[in-house]
């Protein structure tokens, strides 16, 4: 973790003017931060402050750390915040770890119901699934009847999306007279982007026989923590460097 942290900070300090300014104003250099505990030395920059900095210095507020022509995508996340992506990133590492935790394997046929427009979630998960050898159905948001047909025809084994939409699909299938557990091939689901109530998890696991992984993440950092057993407690992902702060 020390090498990873040092690389991130040194690259950001050298290439992102806003990061250099934060360090300089605090009297720090990247060499002063060598472990996760040293992160306490760096002033907290809130997400609201990031929005202000982008508005004052558009489009990226001084946080772009690669030449702009190297960017592959520019997303717009809630805030609103422009999210520049230049390809391979620490975010993708968190997604790969989360897929392993959730039990996805090469050969899975996965319906991806996260959005593909403006936000990074749908495309990032799509890329990681394809890299691991899974087949992706880029369903995105909405159109329950078509999604149910695809899940049935294509023998979908995995689902990623919100837990409420998964339950909505199951209920829609049952309203059509289908026995979901017997008729569909779905076995595993990675849900995120909203709370997973205990009663809903219990229904998905016990009534429908699904393996449920519940993940917490953000658009700018990827997945950070997960839960496989229910309850409120979550485990931190090993690929993430997480600091709990008092702002």
């Amino acid at each position: 973790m020390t090498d990873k942290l040092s690389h991130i900070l040194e690259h950001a300090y050298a290439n992102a003017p806003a990061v250099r300014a934060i360090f300089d104003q605090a009297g720090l250099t990247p060499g002063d931060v060598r472990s996760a505990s040293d992160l306490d030395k760096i002033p907290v920059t809130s997400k609201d402050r990031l929005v202000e900095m982008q508005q004052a210095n558009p489009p990226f507020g001084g946080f772009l750390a690669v030449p702009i022509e190297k960017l592959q995508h520019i997303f717009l996340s809630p805030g609103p915040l422009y999210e520049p992506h230049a390809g391979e990133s620490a975010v993708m590492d968190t997604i790969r770890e989360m897929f392993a935790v959730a039990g996805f394997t090469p050969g899975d046929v996965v319906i991806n119901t996260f959005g593909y427009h403006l936000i990074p979630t749908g495309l990032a998960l799509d890329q990681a699934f394809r890299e691991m050898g899974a087949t992706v159905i880029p369903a995105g948001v909405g159109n329950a009847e078509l999604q149910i047909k695809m899940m049935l025809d294509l023998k979908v084994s995995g689902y990623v999306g919100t837990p409420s939409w998964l339950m909505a699909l199951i209920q829609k299938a049952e309203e059509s007279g289908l026995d979901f557990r017997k008729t569909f091939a779905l076995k595993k689901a990675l849900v995120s982007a909203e709370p997973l109530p205990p009663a809903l998890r219990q229904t998905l696991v016990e009534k429908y026989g699904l393996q449920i992984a519940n993940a917490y993440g953000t658009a700018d950092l990827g997945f950070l923590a997960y839960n496989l057993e229910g309850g409120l407690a979550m485990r931190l992902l090993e690929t993430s460097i997480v600091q709990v702060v008092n702002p």
Side-chain angles (χ1 to χ4, degrees), residues 17-90:
V19 173
R20 178 181 287 270
I22 290 169
F23 270 74
D24 290 349
Q25 289 167 12
L28 298 173
T29 69
D32 296 320
V33 184
R34 289 300 177 188
S35 67
S37 61
D38 289 336
L39 289 170
D40 288 339
K41 300 174 183 177
I42 305 174
V44 173
T45 302
S46 68
K47 200 156 188 176
D48 288 342
R49 178 61 182 146
L50 286 179
V51 174
E52 294 172 358
M53 293 174 77
Q54 285 198 354
Q55 291 174 345
N57 182 20
F60 303 114
F63 284 94
L64 187 64
V66 297
I68 195 166
E69 61 269 17
K70 297 288 187 182
L71 294 181
Q72 296 181 7
H73 294 101
I74 299 173
F75 298 104
L76 183 67
S77 295
L81 274 173
Y82 286 119
E83 299 279 356
H85 282 226
E88 187 59 37
S89 69

Side-chain angles (χ1 to χ4, degrees), residues 184-206:
F184 288 77
L186 190 67
K187 298 299 180 188
K188 64 195 83 170
L190 169 59
V191 297
S192 189
E194 66 183 26
L196 174 58
L200 177 54
R201 176 193 278 275
Q202 185 177 5
T203 297
L204 293 171
V205 171
E206 295 181 5

Side-chain angles (χ1 to χ4, degrees), residues 15-16 25 47 77 79 82 86 92 103 108-109 129 195 222 231:
N15 294 280
Q25 289 167 12
K47 200 156 188 176
S77 295
Y82 286 119
M92 297 302 295
D108 272 328
V109 180
F129 272 128

